């Protein structure tokens, strides 16, 4: 049985094949591929996009969705995560999608269940479907001609599972990554690093802005988000009329990550990412559930 815990779980060929289906699913039509199947979502961390995106994806393929409300579940009565998982598994879902604040939880749970586990984000570790939808958005924009394209990933890279998954995935398709962040948000990766946005802005095709992950900071290591914004917010003054695209996984801190004006600029792909996210999750669900 296959799981999707990190982007490493799929080969490049498999990803390109997923993208073929993803493209078809952009028509937003209802399908019956997963009729009779059931998909369970269990999100121990807040989510607006990812959970509803998976649920929309499952329903669009004809599956039933069981959304476990964690605040009302037995986890809040002291049941261990493994017992919760084993009990969910006993109801024989076709796939379980899990988000958890601790890295490694989806991987461990895969040993306790009999269906594919899909990681909807675990701690700082990985968020594979987000990176897949980011790559798909880039591929579509550049007509699949992405080798040598340059991306600047900007923000709280050290604490971001979205950055971690993109750092694994994008170079596999020939995309060149630079990291841009203040020192306290900079990870230890052996990769090009810049501490000022203006030092890279003339030399990139894609900007990926990330939210400051305040919930993962034990102690704040910076003065204020406004100080951060002064140096790292994507503004019109900064991008001028450059031929670039701007990505952000959401939730966006407006005027800290990206200015209001840039959010509605044609070069901002933020809502296209959300649309693509449903289609990529349809492709992932279909692959993992039907190819067992
Ligand atoms: C991201 C996440 O939860 O990792 N959001 C998302 O899934 N769209 C990014 C974030 O929370 O900053």
């Amino acid at each position: 049985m296959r799981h999707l815990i990190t982007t490493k779980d799929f080969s490049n060929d498999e990803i390109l094949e997923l993208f073929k289906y993803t493209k078809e699913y952009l028509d937003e039509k209802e399908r019956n591929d997963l009729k009779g199947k059931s998909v369970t979502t269990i999100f121990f961390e807040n989510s607006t996009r990812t959970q509803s995106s998976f649920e929309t994806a499952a329903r669009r393929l004809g599956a039933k969705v069981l959304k476990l409300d964690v605040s009302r579940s037995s986890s809040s009565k002291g049941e261990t995560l493994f017992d919760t998982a084993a009990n969910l598994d006993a109801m024989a879902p076709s796939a379980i999608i899990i988000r958890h604040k601790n890295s490694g939880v989806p991987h461990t749970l895969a040993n306790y269940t009999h269906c594919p586990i899909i990681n909807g984000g675990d701690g700082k570790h990985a968020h594979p479907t987000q990176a897949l939808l980011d790559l798909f958005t880039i591929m579509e924009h550049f007509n699949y001609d992405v080798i040598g394209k340059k991306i600047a990933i900007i923000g709280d890279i050290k604490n971001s599972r979205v950055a971690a998954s993109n750092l694994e995935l994008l170079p596999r398709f020939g995309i060149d990554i630079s990291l841009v962040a203040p020192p306290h948000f900079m990870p230890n990766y052996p990769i090009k690093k810049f501490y000022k946005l203006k030092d890279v802005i003339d030399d990139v095709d894609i900007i990926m802005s990330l939210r400051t992950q305040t919930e993962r900071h034990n102690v704040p290591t910076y003065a204020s988000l406004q100080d951060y914004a002064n140096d790292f917010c994507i503004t019109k003054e900064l991008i001028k009329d450059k031929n670039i695209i701007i990505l952000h996984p959401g939730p966006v801190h407006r005027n800290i990550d990206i200015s209001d004006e840039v959010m509605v600029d044609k070069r901002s792909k933020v809502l296209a990412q959300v649309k693509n996210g449903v289609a990529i999750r349809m492709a992932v669900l279909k692959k993992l559930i039907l190819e067992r």
Side-chain angles (χ1 to χ4, degrees):
M1 193 193 332
R2 304 275 306 267
H3 305 285
L4 178 58
I5 308 296
T6 77
T7 40
K8 286 185 191 152
D9 289 325
F10 290 146
S11 69
N12 286 16
D13 284 347
E14 284 179 309
I15 289 170
L16 290 173
E17 173 150 60
L18 279 176
F19 286 179
K20 271 196 226 148
Y21 288 111
T22 306
K23 235 175 136 83
E24 285 175 28
Y25 295 150
L26 290 176
D27 66 10
E28 299 177 351
K29 294 212 171 92
E30 306 281 325
R31 290 170 162 82
N32 280 326
D33 305 58
L34 295 184
K35 201 170 163 47
K37 309 283 182 194
S38 61
V39 168
T40 297
T41 62
I42 176 162
F43 276 52
F44 290 92
E45 252 191 357
N46 294 340
S47 169
T48 317
R49 265 149 297 266
T50 308
Q51 188 166 19
S52 49
S53 179
F54 269 113
E55 289 173 10
T56 306
R59 288 205 181 91
R60 256 185 214 161
L61 287 173
K64 291 204 167 57
V65 177
L66 173 70
K67 174 180 179 169
L68 208 92
D69 182 346
V70 178
S71 64
R72 290 164 195 251
S73 79
S74 296
S75 309
S76 60
K77 299 185 193 161
E79 183 173 65
T80 70
L81 186 59
F82 305 107
D83 286 335
T84 306
N87 279 279
L88 285 180
D89 189 55
M91 298 178 208
S94 311
I96 296 176
I97 299 141
I98 178 155
R99 168 171 285 192
H100 202 277
K101 69 176 184 347
N102 294 341
S103 300
V105 166
H107 172 77
T108 311
L109 283 190
N111 299 320
Y112 290 77
T113 54
H114 296 90
C115 67
I117 296 283
I118 300 176
N119 182 2
D122 62 330
K124 306 175 188 180
H125 172 234
H127 192 347
T129 55
Q130 179 67 45
L132 287 170
L133 79 88
D134 292 337
L135 176 63
F136 178 77
T137 307
I138 295 169
M139 286 283 198
E140 285 285 299
H141 181 79
F142 292 104
N143 259 323
Y144 288 73
D145 181 14
V146 298
I147 296 177
K149 289 283 180 282
K150 295 183 179 162
I151 184 169
I153 300 183
I154 300 168
D156 189 358
I157 302 162
K158 197 174 173 174
N159 293 298
S160 167
R161 55 192 172 212
V162 176
S165 285
N166 274 293
L167 278 156
E168 197 287 316
L169 184 65
L170 301 186
R172 282 165 51 188
F173 288 85
I175 299 172
D176 176 271
I177 304 182
S178 296
L179 303 181
V180 186
H184 46 276
F185 288 163
M186 193 62 96
N188 252 335
Y189 294 109
I191 204 164
K192 273 177 285 177
K193 296 186 177 101
F194 297 87
Y195 297 92
K196 291 207 171 80
L197 197 43
K198 63 177 176 35
D199 293 345
V200 286
I201 195 74
D202 290 329
D203 196 31
V204 291
D205 307 290
I206 310 151
I207 288 177
M208 178 182 290
S209 168
L210 300 170
R211 179 179 68 91
T212 306
Q213 306 279 305
T214 39
E215 73 275 32
R216 297 189 216 290
H217 301 165
N218 296 331
V219 276
T221 47
Y222 49 90
S224 75
L225 284 181
Q226 195 51 55
D227 289 337
Y228 168 85
N230 293 341
D231 292 333
F232 297 96
C233 186
I234 315 300
T235 60
K236 202 90 180 216
E237 297 75 64
L238 191 85
I239 60 171
K240 300 192 178 80
D241 57 357
K242 292 183 207 306
N243 182 19
I244 54 170
I245 56 169
I246 294 133
L247 306 178
H248 193 300
V252 174
H253 284 160
R254 273 179 182 262
N255 301 312
I256 292 171
D257 304 338
I258 302 179
S259 73
D260 287 338
E261 209 182 359
V262 173
M263 282 296 280
V264 293
D265 190 288
K266 275 211 291 289
R267 292 166 289 179
S268 158
K269 299 290 171 196
V270 178
L271 292 180
Q273 287 172 274
V274 177
K275 179 180 163 86
N276 294 341
V278 174
I280 197 91
R281 290 179 177 113
M282 288 171 78
V284 166
L285 284 169
K286 183 173 160 184
K287 180 176 176 61
L288 290 180
I289 294 174
L290 296 186
E291 282 182 19
R292 288 165 70 177

